Amino acid sequence: MSSSSTSSITDKLPSAKELEQDVVVAAKKSVSSLRDFAAGGVGGIFAVVVGHPFDLVKVRMQTAEKGVYTGAMDVVRKTVAREGLVRGMYAGVSAPLVGVTPMFAVSFWGYGVGKQLVESFSEVKDGQYSVGQVSAAGFFSAIPMTIITAPFERVKIILQIQGQKQLAPGEKPKYSGGMDVVRQLYRQGGIKSVYRGSVMTLARDGPGSAAYFATYETIKRRLTPKDESGKPQKLSLPAVMAAGGAAGVAMWIPVFPVDTIKSRLQSADGNAGISATIKQLYAKGGLKAFFPGMGPAMARAIPANAATFLGVELAHSAMNKTFG
């Protein structure tokens, strides 16, 4: 090899300073991803504590036969009378507490990674992502999240529905808890049974997450105060909660029918497919059949997602103070 060729190859290699800069950038991205993961987990806990009773009402309305309940308040009355206040309204809470924490952690981690990918493939002006870029990052966040969401929501729905059954004296419930549900599902149909409804979960969470993060970022920017020079100031916690609540509503409105189909699929005893489930729903009540529990879902969306983003922002603030 000639000396000119060797010199050409050497010139193309990054310098020690460039390598050092690349390492620093990679380290910052890794730390940022870890913080997103941790903050998302905190937000998930906040969301479960606030939102589970609303979610339980929504699921029972979506999966009950026609005429079982007259409305959301009827679900609450019958649930409390049959199972008690705390035990009834928090039936099946173990699955989301175990599942929602990593689910939200993965969601916010995926959103952070999504923003890094967007930055790699498009231009981000002045560090401000466009609505389209935020939406793309939000959609990406649903892909890794589905791996956790699908099985945990299947377990949660089965446990929530089990609470509707009136047991005979001495009769024990079919499932003793979340892990028992997983064991029995796996025994019946393997991993495919545990992950039933995954396609519909992604079909719900992809566009839902895109709307979720885009709405939050848009409203957050509008509510963020600026100083005389136009520099953004710290956003108040009530404003964070307002943006979070609006994001929750924006997420549910376009995907609610998909969620109903998913709930039906995941609660069915047999191996019903997506098209068969859609036909069955439509035959029972037309288009209206795809929107049962919409009221509880909307009622849950505001406080639960306000709590989620409050938890996320508080966690980020605490980490910034602790680690800088």
Side-chain angles (χ1 to χ4, degrees), residues 114-126:
K115 287 198 290 187
Q116 291 175 20
L117 288 172
V118 164
E119 203 168 346
S120 300
F121 292 101
S122 60
E123 183 185 357
V124 178
K125 295 180 180 179
D126 302 320

Side-chain angles (χ1 to χ4, degrees), residues 244-259:
V249 172
M251 176 186 72
W252 275 112
I253 288 173
V255 299
F256 196 85
V258 180
D259 183 64

Side-chain angles (χ1 to χ4, degrees), residues 153-173:
E153 289 207 353
R154 177 131 156 84
V155 171
K156 179 196 73 174
I157 286 169
I158 287 172
L159 287 174
Q160 286 179 333
I161 291 169
Q162 177 175 262
Q164 295 181 105
K165 186 183 177 184
Q166 190 72 46
L167 297 175
E171 184 185 359
K172 291 184 178 180

Side-chain angles (χ1 to χ4, degrees), residues 251-288:
M251 176 186 72
W252 275 112
I253 288 173
V255 299
F256 196 85
V258 180
D259 183 64
T260 300
I261 297 164
K262 181 197 74 71
S263 293
R264 283 280 181 171
L265 271 172
Q266 292 185 318
S267 63
D269 290 327
N271 291 312
I274 295 170
S275 59
T277 302
I278 293 171
K279 287 176 183 176
Q280 187 183 50
L281 276 167
Y282 188 78
K284 283 187 175 180
L287 289 175
K288 192 177 177 182

